[in-house]
Amino acid sequence: MTEAEARELFARIDSDSDGQINIVELANHFKSEGHAGQLKDKVKEAMAADANRDRVLDFDEFHALVK
C-alpha cells in the first residue's frame, strides 16, 4: 500500500478527524468491512502496532501496520 493509499484509508477510519485511530473507530471499520465475527481479534492485532502504548494509532503506527 502506498503512503497516499494509507493516508486515504487512515482518514476514512479516523471518523472524528482527530489524527488518531482509537479502538472504537477500528471496531466500526472492521464491522463495516464484514469482520464482526472476528472483531476482537482484528482490533487486538491492529492495536499491536501502537508502539508508544497510548491506546490510539497515529498515522506512522498505522502506516507501519498496513505496509
Side-chain angles (χ1 to χ4, degrees), residues 23-54:
I23 292 171
V24 173
E25 290 169 326
L26 276 173
N28 289 338
H29 169 71
F30 288 130
K31 282 182 201 174
S32 74
E33 294 291 312
H35 299 286
Q38 304 163 322
L39 190 58
K40 198 175 207 180
D41 292 336
K42 291 280 190 183
V43 170
K44 185 177 179 181
E45 181 182 318
M47 289 308 291
D50 180 16
N52 63 359
R53 302 289 182 226
D54 62 355

Side-chain angles (χ1 to χ4, degrees), residues 1-17:
M1 175 175 288
T2 67
E3 183 174 339
E5 291 167 331
R7 287 193 183 280
E8 182 180 318
L9 179 57
F10 185 90
R12 283 198 319 254
I13 298 171
D14 180 18
S15 60
D16 63 4
S17 300

